[in-house]
């Protein structure tokens, strides 16, 4: 950030973070943890940080030292919901970023800042040229995952075409691109993005918040796990790769593990709309403290078969000292050695065997 804005060093900067998800500061998903920590980190360095979120309800308030604005556009909710289903976008409010009324309202905040940081590269495609060419602001793009539409199974063809096109536009206008790993950086370069404007800011977690005293028996009583071996998976089920992983746990991994260990139970933690019926898989939904559930578990898993970026869940597992079994995709981009830091296995039968081995 200092390299990008050398003429601002030594003075307090005003930074506006544009995020296309209304729940970006909820801290219950990977992207919200990253956005929150980056925003708080910039604020702790003495900068004045503004966060703009799309939302059906407009508000302005202070959250943990951040100036948070929820803005709505003029397009009706019903139209956005229909359009999001056609395109294959989960959060319809992200489409406000293509609403000119939303752009105009955002400008009233952006005009007073020095730097704008976009937190979702696809929805930034309309903003990027306006920010850099018309409003004359420096632009940072924080890539939680690069070309996600191309790397997630069952993505609609329309979403792949549109999202890839819009994403490249955003990168072209960016002054600085933040990638989460070397793998993501290489992918950007392969698509013609200039290496000199790509920097790596890896994902991380507050390890102290996961090393807290936990009443394990209390957690086990809550989910009726007193006499069970507990395997945990953390993931927002609104994200297609996590939903696919949950289906694999229910249909293949859990039955294979239980052939060997009858009292094995699986906890799936995170936001969910769909619950797959299984007597040995418990969906907790959103929990107040993920660390509580992790510390009450014995093995953590990440059976992802598609997706991009790096998984905060893996770092959270490590922070609790949990042994981990993951697929190659699940642990992608992290400096992890198979058999040392985690077991990495893509064959589901062998994946289940690794869980049994650890238990």
């Amino acid at each position: 950030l200092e390299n990008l804005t050398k003429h601002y060093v030594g003075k307090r900067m005003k930074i506006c973070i544009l995020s296309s998800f209304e729940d970006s500061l909820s801290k219950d998903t990977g992207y919200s943890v990253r956005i929150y920590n980056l925003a708080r980190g910039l604020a702790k360095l003495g900068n004045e940080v503004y966060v703009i979120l799309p939302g059906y309800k407009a508000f302005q308030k202070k959250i943990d030292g951040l100036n948070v604005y929820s803005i709505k556009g003029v397009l009706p909710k019903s139209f956005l919901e229909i359009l999001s289903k056609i395109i294959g976008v989960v959060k319809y409010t992200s489409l406000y970023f293509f609403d000119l009324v939303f752009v105009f309202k955002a400008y009233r905040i952006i005009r007073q800042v020095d730097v704008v940081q976009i937190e979702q590269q696809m929805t930034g495609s309309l903003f990027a040229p306006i920010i850099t060419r018309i409003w004359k602001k420096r632009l940072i793009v924080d890539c939680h995952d690069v070309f996600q539409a191309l790397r997630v199974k069952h993505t609609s063809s329309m979403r792949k075409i549109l999202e890839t096109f819009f994403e490249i536009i955003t990168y072209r206008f960016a002054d600085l691109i933040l990638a989460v790993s070397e793998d993501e950086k290489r992918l950007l370069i392969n698509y013609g993005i200039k290496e000199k404007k790509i920097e790596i800011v890896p994902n991380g977690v507050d390890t102290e918040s996961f090393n807290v005293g936990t009443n394990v028996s209390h957690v086990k009583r809550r989910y009726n796990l007193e006499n069970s071996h507990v395997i945990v998976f953390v993931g927002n089920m609104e994200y297609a790769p996590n939903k696919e992983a949950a289906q694999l746990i229910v249909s293949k991994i859990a039955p294979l593990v239980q052939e060997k260990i009858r009292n094995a139970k699986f906890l799936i933690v995170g936001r969910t709309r769909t619950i797959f019926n299984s007597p040995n898989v418990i969906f907790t939904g959103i929990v107040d403290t993920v660390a509580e559930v992790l510390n009450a578990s014995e093995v953590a898993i990440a059976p992802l078969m598609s997706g991009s970026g790096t998984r905060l869940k893996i770092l959270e597992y490590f922070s609790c000292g949990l042994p981990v079994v993951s697929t190659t995709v699940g642990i992608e981009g992290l400096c992890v050695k198979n058999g040392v830091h985690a077991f990495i296995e893509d064959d589901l039968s062998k994946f289940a065997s690794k869980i049994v081995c650890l238990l």
Side-chain angles (χ1 to χ4, degrees), residues 92-161:
Y92 75 87
T93 51
S94 66
L95 298 176
Y96 276 137
F97 272 63
F98 298 95
D99 185 322
L100 290 177
V101 172
F102 179 91
V103 174
F104 175 76
K105 290 179 179 178
Y107 174 63
R108 289 184 293 184
I109 302 162
I110 292 173
R111 65 185 176 185
Q112 62 185 307
V113 306
D114 305 307
V115 177
V116 179
Q117 181 170 306
I118 291 178
E119 290 292 339
Q120 221 289 345
Q121 51 270 37
M122 188 278 282
T123 48
S125 58
L126 176 60
F127 266 96
I130 294 174
I131 289 167
T132 57
R133 297 296 186 265
I134 299 175
W135 298 343
K136 305 296 183 183
K137 304 292 182 181
R138 295 298 185 102
L139 177 64
I140 301 170
V141 178
D142 183 27
C143 301
H144 304 249
D145 37 41
V146 174
F147 298 114
Q148 183 194 112
L150 299 177
R151 300 158 72 186
V152 174
K153 292 179 181 178
H154 315 303
T155 302
S156 70
S157 298
M158 183 177 291
R159 184 187 165 196
K160 285 182 180 179
I161 294 168

